[in-house]
Amino acid sequence: SNPVPADSTIMFVHDETSLPATGQIAADGTYTLMMEGGDQVPAGKYTISVSPPSSEISEETNMDAYKSMMEGGAEATAPTGPFPEKYQAAETSGVTFEVKEGPNTFDLDMKDEA
C-alpha cells in the first residue's frame, strides 16, 4: 500500500462531542493531533478520516477526468487521489480509534479492499 502523501491532513472526530482533532502528516508518516485552541485531545472514541494535500487534487485532474468522461474515454472514473476515497470522509472510512489517557499512537493502515 502507498504511504500517505506528506501534508495530508488526518482528522479524528470525537463520537460524542463531534469535536475534531487534526494533524498534518509528515513525510515519514508521523503526525501530532491538535485540538482547536491547542487543548489536549480528550479520551474517547473517534472516527478517522484523511484528506490528501490540496495539491494532490488539482482542478486540472478533475477537468481531465471530466473531459475523458464526456468523450466516453476508458478512464471514466473520477480522480480518487493518492489513496482510497472512502478514507476521505469519516462517514465512510469505517476507521475508529479509542483515545486513552496519556500518550497514544495510532497507525492507520489504509488498505484498498476494492
Side-chain angles (χ1 to χ4, degrees):
S1 62
N2 294 345
V4 175
D7 293 331
S8 293
T9 302
I10 188 163
M11 183 182 287
F12 282 52
V13 180
H14 195 280
D15 282 5
E16 285 168 32
T17 65
S18 296
L19 288 173
T22 57
Q24 289 289 102
I25 298 175
D28 64 0
T30 60
Y31 59 89
T32 303
L33 287 178
M34 299 290 290
M35 291 298 286
E36 195 66 37
D39 298 333
Q40 279 289 105
V41 175
K45 274 197 75 158
Y46 287 78
T47 303
I48 297 160
S49 64
V50 181
S51 313
S54 46
S55 62
E56 291 277 345
I57 314 178
S58 65
E59 294 287 316
E60 230 166 274
T61 322
N62 288 329
M63 278 313 295
D64 288 350
Y66 181 72
K67 275 196 204 112
S68 68
M69 206 162 80
M70 296 314 281
E71 290 158 13
E75 293 291 310
T77 53
T80 54
F83 48 78
E85 201 169 329
K86 70 173 195 173
Y87 293 106
Q88 295 178 34
E91 299 80 50
T92 54
S93 76
V95 182
T96 58
F97 179 67
E98 179 104 29
V99 172
K100 307 239 181 348
E101 293 296 323
N104 285 261
T105 301
F106 177 70
D107 297 321
L108 178 55
D109 186 7
M110 288 190 285
K111 293 191 174 66
D112 200 347
E113 282 104 36

